[in-house]
Structure formats: C-alpha cells, structure tokens
Amino acid sequence: IFRKYSNPYVKLLIGGATLSILIYLFPSLYGEDYDLINLLLNGNSAKDWDTAMDSSLFYGHGNLLLLYLALVLIFKVFASTAPSLFLGCISGFIFARLWNFYRCLGIYLPERNFAMIGMAGLMSGVMHAPLTGIFLIAELTGGYQLFMPLMIVSVCAYLTIISFEPHSIYSMRLAKRGQLLTHHKDRAILTLMSLDSVIEKYDEYLYPD
C-alpha cells in the first residue's frame, strides 16, 4: 500500500506521523531497542521485567506486561522493518510467561531461555538460514548450553517456512522480478537472458504460397 504513493512528501508525512504516534504509545518501538532484548534476557524477576513499560501509558501496571509486549510485537512491523531478533525475543518470552502463568503440565519454563530460542527460530525462518540462527544466537548470548534446543527450533522453523515460502526475505523481491541468480549456471544465464535480444525481426511477411 505504501509503495503506491509516488510523492516522497506524502510518504514522509504518513510514515513520520505513524511512527511518532507509535513511539509515543510504545517507547520500546524506538530504534532496534536492544535494551528491551537485554532486559528480557537478563531479568530475573517480575520487577525487572516491568521496567520495560517505563515512560509508556502502561507504566505502573505490572499485570499488563504481556499485553504491552504483545502490542509491541504487532506494531513493530509497522514501526520498522521488523528485526527478527527483537520479535523472536519477545515471542519466546511471551510463550514462556503464558505457559508458566497457566502452569501447563506443571512444568516451569525459563523465560530467558525461551527468549533466546525464539530469537534463533525467527531468524532461521526469516533468513532461511538455520545454521546462522543457531551459531549467531549462541555466540551473542553465550547460550552454548542450549545448543540442542537451538538446533531443534531452528531446523523446525526452517522446515516450516520453506513449505510456505521458498525464498528468504532477502531474495523474495528478486524472485518476483525474475532476477534471482542461483548456483545453477545454466539457469542463471536463462534468468538473465531476454528473448527480445536473440529473436531476429523482419518487416517482410512470408506467405504460405
């Protein structure tokens, strides 16, 4: 929808107004907000996690933390290009908190671990790169003790996404334009070749007789 507007000033007005309103309501949408990621990964209690709502309309309402994070998760897509680490971290945290809140199967899930696993899973799916998701998250967070869960989630995310979308977010636009180069040399040449450049055209007509 946004691409339909050709006037850059109209885009600036719509984008700037939308982003300003969202940041006012949800300060966590400002920038890539690695502070929130660090908070969810390193927080140890509800008091620590409640600081995520500082300077927002939700401040002082610790019981609304999950609602706040869910809204941030939704509106981050509109506020920026939706970084996978940010969204994966929040998704994993929300999942673990809901699981612990309802005491499913009587098993406690560490929110920090599931925030890390969510980051790896979403990155693997978006980039179509499970190995990148596994090693990058393990390296960034020092979570090598979770190597097996990271592997399972990353591979499952990759196998799930390729059944719906054969191209990663980086190659999707090129594929739609028919400009996606592959490792298959013959296919790459055919992709770049235009039929108009090899067909000879004449003004004369040839009749059957």
Side-chain angles (χ1 to χ4, degrees):
I1 294 175
F2 198 72
R3 246 194 320 265
K4 292 179 181 179
Y5 297 100
S6 58
N7 191 325
Y9 297 104
V10 174
K11 289 185 175 184
L12 178 64
L13 179 63
I14 297 175
T18 303
L19 185 60
S20 299
I21 294 172
L22 289 176
I23 290 177
Y24 173 75
L25 297 175
F26 308 99
S28 297
L29 296 179
Y30 182 77
E32 296 186 4
D33 202 0
Y34 287 112
D35 291 336
L36 180 58
I37 294 177
N38 290 327
L39 178 64
L40 297 181
L41 290 178
N42 300 318
N44 296 316
S45 64
K47 185 177 180 180
D48 293 337
W49 295 319
D50 288 347
T51 58
M53 298 183 290
D54 289 353
S55 303
S56 73
L57 299 178
F58 290 77
Y59 176 73
H61 301 281
N63 57 321
L64 298 179
L65 175 62
L66 287 183
L67 175 61
Y68 175 79
L69 292 178
L71 292 174
V72 169
L73 188 69
I74 294 172
F75 289 116
K76 185 66 174 178
V77 180
F78 297 93
S80 70
T81 52
S84 55
L85 291 180
F86 183 89
L87 299 182
C89 180
I90 294 179
S91 300
F93 182 87
I94 291 177
F95 177 83
R97 285 281 285 183
L98 285 175
W99 181 283
N100 293 333
F101 180 78
Y102 291 106
R103 302 184 185 278
C104 299
L105 304 178
I107 301 174
Y108 173 78
L109 302 182
E111 288 89 350
R112 177 181 185 274
N113 293 352
F114 274 76
M116 292 171 53
I117 292 172
M119 293 165 69
L122 198 58
M123 173 174 281
S124 301
V126 168
M127 298 177 62
H128 283 212
L131 291 179
T132 301
I134 295 169
F135 289 106
L136 182 61
I137 300 307
E139 181 68 27
L140 286 177
T141 60
Y144 287 100
Q145 68 273 17
L146 295 175
F147 214 73
M148 188 59 69
L150 289 174
M151 290 173 61
I152 294 173
V153 171
S154 296
V155 171
C156 288
Y158 173 70
L159 294 178
T160 301
I161 192 63
I162 59 174
S163 62
F164 296 97
E165 175 55 56
H167 303 289
S168 72
I169 192 173
Y170 301 111
S171 59
M172 189 185 306
R173 189 171 297 178
L174 289 175
K176 289 180 179 179
R177 294 201 302 252
Q179 298 176 349
L180 181 62
L181 298 179
T182 67
H183 296 292
H184 193 288
K185 295 180 180 179
D186 293 336
R187 188 178 300 174
I189 293 175
L190 291 175
T191 300
L192 294 174
M193 184 180 294
S194 172
L195 287 179
D196 291 335
S197 64
V198 296
I199 294 180
E200 296 184 9
K201 298 180 180 179
Y202 301 94
D203 294 330
E204 298 84 1
Y205 291 93
L206 297 178
Y207 296 97
D209 55 353

